[in-house]
Amino acid sequence: MSASPRQVASGQAFGKVILLGEHAVVYGSPAIALALTRGAEAEVRRSERTSLWLGSSEYRIGPAAMADSEPLPLRAFRALLEELDAPELEARAALAIPAGAGLGASAALGVALARAVSGLLGRATLEGRCAGSVARAALAWENVFHGNASGIDTAAAEHGGCLWFTRAAGAAPLAVGGSLRVAVASVEPGVSTRRMVEAVAERRRKDPSGTDRVMDSIQALVARAREVIAGRERAELGRMMTQNHELLVRLGVSTPGLNQACEWALRAGALGAKLTGAGGGGCVVALVDDATRAAVLDAWGERGLVCLEATAPEQGSA
Ligand code: PMV
């Protein structure tokens, strides 16, 4: 006798900050991400008609012929369900991090939903990690929002911790010597990642050698950061993050507001500060330690910025 199919299942996933390497990662360079402890949660149940609730907004799947005119979340959900060959279901997902701020909110939603659907179908997730089909489903969701997503956001949403990521090889845990502590401030509304990635591509078309020089410098920073993070050289890592910010300014993805928030953090004693994610608005991340964290958070808080913190415990590599 076969067991009756599951009626309800849930999934969760993490948000993230990129410590070094955004944008260059789209062109094949490595990047380093640190997952947040918060992210997204999803619950799915079998139903007669497929629908998606994101917070209090409901999206109902219509006929396939209408798919191209559906709102983005619905198109993304359709792509995710197709990848998993899912039955009709009702899904509810919610975020515990700001959306559209470079903290990987859409990827966290995609992974949480894919995990929940996978659970409903009785597909095993190994030690809390998604099977490959779940990662692919989350990336199919993410690509609807981002166009040419590198996959770093979905990898961080899935695995948590501190990660080394390349497009070619995916994610691997990064060795962290001592704990690594960051403060994050939400500075201003972000612009879509798709638009920022396209803006960098346009810059590269107009000025290939200048843009590639910047990308090469980012790549060199990330490559060196691997040893620096393993070797507890926090002051050096901070300097490298600030250098990465300057390179992102040269790529045209920073804003006066993001530059100002980095400056406030550095003046308050942060070891380094940079924008995180696609830029054009959103968040900045500052490397802090026990002696500097409170001053950095106060400097941002006094100016009305919403802040959060993340810590990577000491960890070995894969
Ligand atoms: O979606 P965001 O803002 O976290 O940016 C992701 C990082 C990018 O390198 C800009 C894009 C990508 O897909 O890697």
Side-chain angles (χ1 to χ4, degrees), residues 17-271:
V17 286
I18 296 180
L19 293 181
L20 293 156
E22 51 273 90
H23 285 291
V25 69
V26 173
Y27 297 89
S29 295
I32 296 173
L34 174 62
L36 306 174
T37 44
R38 293 188 254 164
E41 289 187 348
E43 187 178 276
V44 296
R45 60 184 66 238
R46 288 177 195 270
S47 167
E48 284 176 1
R49 179 147 178 225
T50 294
S51 63
L52 169 65
W53 287 87
L54 286 181
S56 55
S57 308
E58 187 190 12
Y59 301 89
R60 280 176 177 272
I61 292 242
M66 303 293 287
D68 287 349
S69 58
E70 284 172 343
L72 275 187
L74 208 44
R75 277 171 21 214
F77 194 44
R78 210 183 253 287
L80 180 148
L81 295 175
E82 273 170 22
E83 192 67 47
L84 291 169
D85 203 12
E88 299 285 328
L89 52 84
E90 181 191 287
R92 287 174 184 269
L95 280 168
I97 51 174
L103 299 182
S106 66
L109 285 170
V111 170
L113 282 163
R115 276 187 163 146
V117 174
S118 189
L120 192 75
L121 296 171
R123 292 184 194 147
T125 59
L126 208 56
E127 289 167 0
R129 291 193 168 185
C130 296
S133 66
V134 175
R136 282 195 299 279
L139 195 58
W141 156 283
E142 185 73 343
N143 273 330
V144 172
F145 292 103
H146 289 178
N148 184 22
S150 66
I152 187 168
D153 286 14
T154 48
E158 179 186 345
H159 297 293
C162 192
L163 294 177
W164 174 265
F165 177 88
T166 60
R167 266 190 115 137
L174 193 67
V176 179
S179 70
L180 200 154
R181 192 161 199 176
V182 298
V184 181
S186 179
V187 177
E188 57 198 2
V191 174
S192 85
T193 299
R194 176 188 283 268
R195 206 170 115 196
M196 297 313 293
V197 168
E198 279 170 8
V200 171
E202 181 58 23
R203 175 177 286 259
R204 197 157 175 260
R205 270 192 294 278
K206 287 190 180 139
D207 177 17
S209 56
T211 308
D212 283 348
R213 265 199 305 279
V214 176
M215 297 288 188
D216 289 348
S217 303
I218 295 175
Q219 181 170 14
L221 279 178
V222 180
R224 201 155 63 80
R226 197 177 191 142
E227 280 87 64
V228 168
I229 290 175
R232 304 168 188 242
E233 298 170 61
R234 292 292 175 266
E236 179 60 4
L237 177 62
R239 276 192 291 277
M240 290 164 75
M241 286 170 63
T242 304
Q243 281 168 24
N244 193 165
H245 180 74
E246 282 151 16
L247 292 163
L248 291 164
V249 170
R250 280 171 58 192
L251 271 189
V253 298
S254 193
T255 66
L258 295 174
N259 298 341
Q260 176 76 85
C262 289
E263 204 46 55
W264 287 331
L266 292 171
R267 267 195 257 140
L271 303 172

Side-chain angles (χ1 to χ4, degrees), residues 274-299:
K274 63 183 277 292
L275 72 85
T276 183
C283 291
V284 295
V285 57
L287 188 68
V288 292
D289 55 23
D290 290 347
T292 55
R293 75 166 265 286
V296 171
L297 292 171
D298 283 352

